[in-house]
Amino acid sequence: MHSPVGLTVRQAISIASALLLTLTVPLNMAAQDESPPPTAEPDAMVAPVAAVRDAPLTVGPWHLATIDDAPDGHFVRGVAAGELGLLALGNLEFGGPAQPAVWTSDDGMSWERATFAKDARRGLIEAAVSTPDGWVAVGRDFPEQAYAWTSPDGRHWQAADMIESAKGHLMYDVAATPRGLVAVGCKARFHCSTGVAWISQDGRSWEVLSKLPIQLPTSVTVFGDEILVAGFSDGYETNLSKAVTASSANGRKWKLDDDRGPQASGFTDLGVRDGEALAFGYHLGPRAADDVAVMRRSPDGRDWTSVAPEAFDGWSGIRLATADDVTLTVGTMSVDNSFIAPVTFSSADLETWTPGTFADGLRAEQYHVLDTAFAPDGDKAVMVGAIDHAPAIWWADIAPVGSPEVEPAPVTALGPVTPGRFQAASVPEGDEGVTVKSVIPGGPGYIAVGGGSADGADARALVWTSTDGLTWDDASLADDARSGVIEAVAPLAGAGYVAVGNDSTGAQALVWRSADGTSWERAETPESFAGAVVHDLVVTAEGVAAVGCEAYPDCRTGLVWTTSDGLSWELGEELALTPYAAGVLGSSIAAGGTDSGTPDEGRAVIATSGTEGWDVSESLGKPSSRVVDMDSGEEGLVAAAWQQHPGQVVESAIFVSVDGQSWDPLTHKRLKGMTASAIELSADGVLLTGTKSNRKTGTIPLAFWTRDLQDFETIRFPKDVQPEGLAIEGSGMAADGSMALAVGTDGDRPAIWYSLIE
């Protein structure tokens, strides 16, 4: 059920059509090739540097990136740049044992989750470095145990060899040096007591190189002929600690360097730019508001002087990224001891610092910024961390200082808005077995319909209304209108609303009418509804069309009815499919479903009405596939479908059409494992909702937002949804595009979720 409220998909259809010219996917839900790319072979084991430009640069504004498979409870702790692209390094922080997580990206704007071998799924990754053989990452496991991982491509990871010298130790950073890979960390039991350096030629086998004169080393880099290490003099990272650096020509003998700057609690990162070494960190004040970011600069890596702009007051410096013509610093600040905000500054000369801005705004309460880097091509900066304990990655363009601010190209093409996290609306509790089937803008604001029963009782029809989408009330149904289950609702031009559904037998379609959406009565059932099942409604130029099927045998014969007033219904010609969804394009009606009523045999198909009858598409999927929902715009249609061939994982797809005749498939890695339920189209993007099930989590709700039908952003649901009895049945969109709604059941009771679109 959908109402075409001034929708357009020309941009999305054009982009999708152009994309499909480059694909070899047949007209079905076949998965795209996911084989790893060939491993690059850089000439030397050196860290990449951004390209030198003719003019000084600045960074921003910052945009939230799209992250694949990033559930709550994860942090993105670090980011690394190399010949193979970008890595975001994370881990599971809450709700279970420590597990590593890595995401890869070519552009910093969209990220895909990597996989780990079974014996590598442990520990926390702190840092990674590019090598001629791929990537090497270091970190720690619990109890105290230094740990390392290797990957040829960033997408597939294995555990390095376990070594005796790693027990009771932690690794925090790694760098490629002329001598090999050097990792720094410490001997630890509850806190760091002695700094340690390790060396490796391949990232798999490690041995202790030396002890460090720094209790807690946080960063290592190469500057000229020297290896530099920075950190805290005290392993507790308290305000009693001092920021320290040390240098070595061979990694075995170290010298504490001379620091002439004001007091600092510790250094958290090192960088090199324009012939200088930089150390960055913070000093803890008596209150959070008194914290200060600190920076030192050195021409030789041994004698350090302070860089102390006023811009560094009031926040804690965490990481920096450097190139010959721009320096980027990131950190956090506390506001009123409750709100933790991210802070970024960039500078071309280390004297004038420009604050970063956030294009997506700051709406959460807790932000953690943990690392930053420049993309290998030097055109973008990336910052990583978490928002309210959910993974977060930001990206920003790099532009010449003083140039007019130009809105950067969005991650996707249809618009800059994104739905926020879904929240549970207030819905009357209702009986077990009752579900919300469909929702539209209308009545006092919104109308939702559904029904159901428990323990074999007769089905009970229900309607809910809301003025704002957040709080819902039961609508009034006449006594003779309370039986059955309402499947869909739609507006009638100037004549109120009509709803359709079925009785408890599943072999009798029913009709309801309302003048205002709040008071409902049963309409006289048309003769053609006898022995039929109805599934969906769609608004047409002449009124409303309903799609369904003959109940026996097996709902194999599709039916389409049309009406202008909700009272008189005209039955059209029979269809050789079972339709579950309806759409409209101009004067044509589209019906999507399956070509067989037998669940294990049917294949997804879509039929479209024309002047000479109905045209049915070729099969759009494998056996056990179906189209479950459709939505319409002025110049195109989108359809949601899923398939689950026996013995294979369920997957979903979106089909698009500009003419209602030919349908192009759009599959994506993120849609694997998803059983799609509903699709909504607005001028700003497409919302796809459904569920995912597995043995560990049970059934969980899923929602993805895409602006160009290429990149899919996760829209999260509340954590307290109940896996038992959870279902997503439908979705809706506010007439002005300011809110998205998902409906279904949570814990076997009616549920509605809302998402504000900003």
Side-chain angles (χ1 to χ4, degrees):
M1 155 289 330
H2 299 286
S3 174
V5 190
L7 306 178
T8 175
V9 291
R10 178 178 294 278
Q11 289 177 285
I13 299 299
S14 299
I15 294 169
S17 300
L19 173 67
L20 286 158
L21 293 176
T22 68
L23 300 181
T24 58
V25 185
L27 245 175
N28 57 31
M29 289 178 240
Q32 299 180 29
D33 181 18
E34 296 181 13
S35 58
T39 302
E41 298 181 1
D43 295 331
M45 191 183 293
V46 295
V49 293
V52 178
R53 304 169 183 80
D54 295 331
L57 305 174
T58 189
V59 180
W62 292 93
H63 299 256
L64 278 170
T66 300
I67 315 176
D68 169 48
D69 191 12
D72 289 356
H74 281 61
F75 268 55
V76 188
R77 304 177 66 85
V79 61
E83 295 288 341
L84 299 179
L86 289 160
L87 292 186
L89 315 168
N91 58 273
L92 179 65
E93 289 274 12
F94 305 101
Q99 297 181 26
V102 169
W103 293 264
T104 65
S105 177
D106 294 327
D107 57 13
M109 299 185 296
S110 60
W111 297 76
E112 292 190 357
R113 184 81 171 260
T115 61
F116 284 76
K118 187 174 182 180
D119 64 347
R121 300 171 190 168
R122 54 186 295 181
L124 314 178
I125 296 180
E126 295 282 359
V129 65
S130 174
T131 77
D133 297 319
W135 292 96
V136 172
V138 300
R140 50 199 170 97
D141 195 9
F142 296 101
E144 287 80 5
Q145 169 74 58
Y147 213 72
W149 299 259
T150 63
S151 173
D153 54 17
R155 298 176 59 195
H156 307 87
W157 290 83
Q158 303 81 36
D161 300 335
M162 297 294 291
I163 54 176
E164 290 297 320
S165 64
K167 291 183 178 179
H169 292 73
L170 310 174
M171 284 183 176
Y172 285 114
D173 198 15
V174 62
T177 79
R179 295 198 58 188
L181 296 172
V182 172
V184 297
C186 64
K187 183 178 180 180
R189 186 172 184 181
F190 305 116
H191 71 282
C192 286
S193 58
T194 304
V196 178
W198 291 264
I199 191 166
S200 175
Q201 299 304 317
D202 58 7
R204 295 193 59 86
S205 299
W206 295 82
E207 61 182 28
V208 172
L209 179 62
S210 60
K211 291 184 178 180
L212 298 172
I214 299 175
Q215 276 197 12
L216 174 53
T218 58
S219 183
V220 59
T221 194
V222 175
F223 179 56
D225 297 329
E226 299 284 320
I227 302 173
L228 304 184
V229 175
F232 293 72
S233 65
D234 187 309
Y236 281 103
E237 301 180 62
T238 67
N239 55 5
L240 299 177
S241 177
K242 294 182 179 179
V244 286
T245 61
S247 57
S248 173
N250 56 20
R252 295 191 179 275
K253 295 182 179 181
W254 296 85
K255 178 183 179 298
L256 276 175
D257 299 323
D258 182 18
D259 181 10
R260 301 176 185 175
Q263 185 178 1
S265 300
F267 290 130
T268 52
D269 205 5
L270 288 165
V272 176
R273 61 154 282 168
D274 198 21
E276 286 188 311
L278 301 180
F280 187 59
Y282 58 84
H283 179 66
L284 294 173
R287 302 174 304 163
D290 299 321
D291 291 350
V292 178
V294 296
M295 180 179 287
R296 306 283 195 266
R297 64 197 301 178
S298 172
D300 57 10
R302 294 181 179 178
D303 296 321
W304 298 81
T305 57
S306 177
V307 178
E310 292 183 3
F312 283 9
D313 292 344
W315 60 283
S316 296
I318 304 297
R319 292 288 183 181
L320 82 160
T322 58
D324 283 344
D325 42 16
V326 64
T327 297
L328 172 66
T329 60
V330 301
T332 58
M333 68 182 300
S334 176
V335 181
D336 298 328
N337 294 318
S338 60
F339 180 79
I340 299 178
V343 180
T344 74
F345 282 91
S346 59
S347 176
D349 56 11
L350 302 186
E351 295 181 2
T352 302
W353 292 83
T354 303
T357 59
F358 290 81
D360 300 289
L362 300 177
R363 299 187 293 271
E365 294 183 358
Q366 301 290 323
Y367 290 80
H368 297 273
V369 176
L370 300 176
D371 205 357
T372 188
F374 291 121
D377 61 8
D379 290 335
K380 284 186 173 56
V382 173
M383 180 171 63
V384 302
I387 301 176
D388 285 346
H389 303 299
I393 302 176
W394 295 265
W395 62 270
D397 284 324
I398 302 174
V401 172
S403 63
E405 183 172 337
V406 178
E407 184 66 22
V411 179
T412 47
L414 282 182
V417 302
T418 299
R421 181 189 297 262
F422 274 107
Q423 304 290 335
S426 175
V427 182
E429 183 174 351
D431 298 328
E432 287 189 7
V434 171
T435 184
V436 187
K437 290 283 192 176
S438 181
V439 61
I440 64 168
Y446 302 92
I447 303 170
V449 298
S453 64
D455 301 326
D458 288 342
R460 176 189 175 198
L462 288 168
V463 178
W464 301 265
T465 60
S466 174
T467 58
D468 58 8
L470 282 64
T471 302
W472 294 76
D473 298 309
D474 289 322
S476 173
L477 276 76
D479 290 344
D480 64 351
R482 295 177 181 174
S483 62
V485 176
I486 304 177
E487 295 285 342
V489 59
L492 290 165
Y497 301 89
V498 62
V500 295
N502 306 289
D503 70 3
S504 298
T505 68
Q508 176 65 62
L510 303 171
V511 182
W512 290 259
R513 287 275 283 109
S514 174
D516 57 8
T518 60
S519 298
W520 291 80
E521 60 185 17
R522 178 73 56 75
E524 182 177 350
T525 303
E527 292 184 5
S528 59
F529 275 33
V533 176
V534 67
H535 292 134
D536 199 11
L537 282 176
V538 66
V539 176
T540 69
E542 290 77 25
V544 171
V547 298
C549 56
E550 291 183 354
Y552 301 103
D554 299 326
C555 218
R556 289 177 179 268
T557 302
L559 302 174
V560 179
W561 300 265
T562 57
T563 182
S564 60
D565 57 9
L567 300 174
S568 301
W569 294 78
E570 181 179 349
L571 178 63
E573 67 178 86
E574 296 180 349
L575 302 178
L577 76 155
T578 303
Y580 295 99
V584 65
L585 181 62
S587 60
S588 296
I589 300 170
T594 177
D595 61 8
S596 172
T598 304
D600 292 339
E601 298 177 0
R603 296 172 182 260
V605 291
I606 298 174
T608 308
S609 67
T611 56
E612 299 181 0
W614 288 79
D615 292 323
V616 180
S617 70
E618 298 178 356
S619 296
L620 303 178
K622 300 177 181 178
S624 302
S625 62
R626 67 175 57 181
V627 174
V628 293
D629 198 18
M630 304 178 74
D631 203 359
S632 314
E634 294 176 359
E635 293 128 7
L637 292 144
V638 292
W642 57 258
Q643 67 181 17
Q644 187 170 24
H645 196 57
Q648 297 183 8
V649 176
V650 65
E651 61 178 321
S652 294
I654 295 175
F655 291 85
V656 298
S657 177
V658 295
D659 57 10
Q661 304 296 319
S662 58
W663 294 86
D664 294 325
L666 292 168
T667 60
H668 193 277
K669 177 182 177 181
R670 306 191 74 177
L671 305 185
K672 288 186 177 179
M674 178 188 193
T675 302
S677 300
I679 192 167
E680 291 295 326
L681 176 64
S682 78
D684 297 306
V686 176
L687 177 69
L688 184 69
T689 54
T691 56
K692 182 177 183 179
S693 299
N694 60 51
R695 293 179 181 177
K696 292 184 178 180
T697 63
T699 302
I700 60 172
L702 286 181
F704 295 109
W705 174 259
T706 175
R707 303 186 189 105
D708 64 356
L709 303 177
Q710 297 180 52
D711 297 307
F712 288 78
E713 179 179 351
T714 300
I715 308 301
R716 304 188 186 283
F717 280 80
K719 296 180 181 179
D720 58 354
V721 294
Q722 302 297 311
E724 295 296 329
L726 176 75
I728 303 295
E729 299 284 354
S731 61
M733 193 80 70
D736 62 0
S738 63
M739 178 182 291
L741 296 163
V743 301
T745 56
D746 185 3
D748 272 331
R749 296 187 184 278
I752 300 174
W753 298 270
Y754 67 90
S755 168
L756 301 179
I757 301 177
E758 301 177 343

